[in-house]
Amino acid sequence: MKITMLGTGAALPDPDRGQSAILLTLDDDTHYLFDCGEGATRQMVRANVDPAKVGFVFLTHLHHDHICDYPYFVISSWMLNKTGAPLVLGPKGTRHFVDHLFENGAYHTDYQARSAYPVRQANLEAMRPEVREVSPGPVFDDGRVRISVDWVEHIPRDVCECFGVRVEAEGKVIAFSGDTAPCEAMVRLAQDADLLIHECTFPESFIAHRAKTGVGTYAHTSPTDLGIIASRAGVKSLVATHFGHFDSTSPVIKRAAAKHLPVELMGPHLMDEIVADIRKNYTGPLRLAHDLMRIDL
């Protein structure tokens, strides 16, 4: 199998990183998409994957940087002659999100215009996603892939449930954190995994700055804590992702981040700090994600 990191950034528009999206592709060319942040559909095409052939999406939570490309993905797949209803799994609220997008929602005019064409009219199923709102435990098994999830600790659960994911396929185990503060659920989900893909939004120096200034909230995993999680879970390899723009040199990003990040410290050199702090507790294979990174298992 291969994993393609379609998007490895966080919430701000970033010239160098798309938002959260990970594509798992089995040896038989079956695709499974985890999160669908900005740029996910375009990145699939760049990775030589037809979006119309991606029939499964799991949304870890409903923050915009994990879901905002979903309507574009569905409409694009329709235009690329996808057949059948796409399947989307996610937390409570996913049905509300999807129900307000297409025929009866924000893209009603686009749907109405395109469905006037006979070839689209004959394939309306592609614009009517099957939605499954999930709870902790096993949530999907198609004979190729088995997926289990658990709640992780990102934002209050009454605002939005957030999930971490464990995927078993082709004799391998992949765990994905979504967005989360350090929690026991991720240690369990990642236990003995061949690959853990885990958020690592800010370096320690930026976390200290945010704590000192009291700007914003913090519900992410620090590099030091990520190393502890990976070590406790006994994972065979680790990919850190969901980087919060701290490595950017963009003047636009720096201006936007000035109220909550120490912009004078921003730059690619901070990746060395990330690695050093993860390495305090984890000595196994480690990679820092970048868009379109390919991982073969």
Side-chain angles (χ1 to χ4, degrees), residues 41-289:
T41 308
R42 174 175 52 84
Q43 293 287 66
M44 288 181 214
V45 176
R46 292 186 70 194
N48 197 33
V49 173
D50 181 351
K53 294 184 178 179
V54 179
F56 173 98
V57 178
F58 186 92
L59 304 176
T60 60
H61 65 296
L62 300 178
H63 269 165
H64 85 275
D65 54 318
H66 296 253
I67 65 172
C68 71
D69 211 57
Y70 183 72
Y72 183 57
F73 163 72
V74 172
I75 294 169
S76 297
S77 298
W78 187 37
M79 294 170 65
L80 290 166
N81 300 313
K82 176 179 178 56
T83 57
L87 174 62
V88 57
L89 280 66
K92 188 183 301 181
T94 302
R95 188 176 308 281
H96 175 82
F97 166 63
V98 174
D99 284 351
H100 288 77
L101 289 177
F102 304 119
E103 287 178 71
N104 303 307
Y107 293 92
H108 168 75
T109 300
D110 186 271
Y111 169 85
Q112 197 171 34
R114 296 186 194 282
S115 63
Y117 292 94
V119 68
R120 302 284 169 255
Q121 183 66 42
N123 189 29
L124 295 181
E125 265 194 308
M127 285 288 286
R128 294 169 177 165
E130 177 187 347
V131 179
R132 299 181 193 172
E133 295 187 349
V134 302
S135 299
V139 297
F140 182 79
D141 189 340
D142 65 355
R144 300 182 183 92
V145 163
R146 184 176 186 271
I147 298 174
S148 300
V149 304
D150 201 355
W151 284 318
V152 293
E153 303 301 330
H154 181 45
I155 54 178
R157 206 165 294 158
D158 58 345
V159 176
C160 177
E161 297 175 342
C162 305
F163 285 108
V165 184
R166 181 180 177 93
V167 182
E168 300 171 58
E170 297 183 340
K172 302 291 185 181
V173 175
I174 305 100
F176 172 46
S177 68
D179 284 5
T180 185
C183 63
E184 289 300 311
M186 273 317 303
V187 176
R188 292 192 298 269
L189 288 168
Q191 197 66 48
D192 300 321
D194 295 278
L195 175 66
L196 169 60
I197 303 170
H198 201 293
E199 71 116 285
C200 190
T201 306
F202 296 118
E204 301 287 355
S205 57
F206 280 44
I207 295 167
H209 171 87
R210 288 163 69 85
K212 181 179 179 180
T213 59
V215 174
T217 58
Y218 187 75
H220 293 285
T221 299
S222 73
T224 301
D225 283 328
L226 176 51
I228 293 171
I229 290 167
S231 179
R232 287 186 59 205
V235 302
K236 296 182 177 66
S237 61
L238 173 64
V239 170
T241 190
H242 196 267
F243 298 122
H245 320 293
F246 59 82
D247 59 332
S248 181
T249 59
S250 164
V252 174
I253 295 295
K254 287 187 174 184
R255 285 195 295 272
K259 291 184 179 180
H260 66 278
L261 296 179
V263 295
E264 69 279 0
L265 302 179
M266 288 173 67
H269 64 282
L270 286 169
M271 288 301 186
D272 292 334
E273 181 184 321
I274 292 283
V275 171
D277 285 327
I278 292 173
R279 286 294 187 209
K280 290 175 182 176
N281 296 287
Y282 175 73
T283 59
L286 168 65
R287 283 168 283 191
L288 304 184

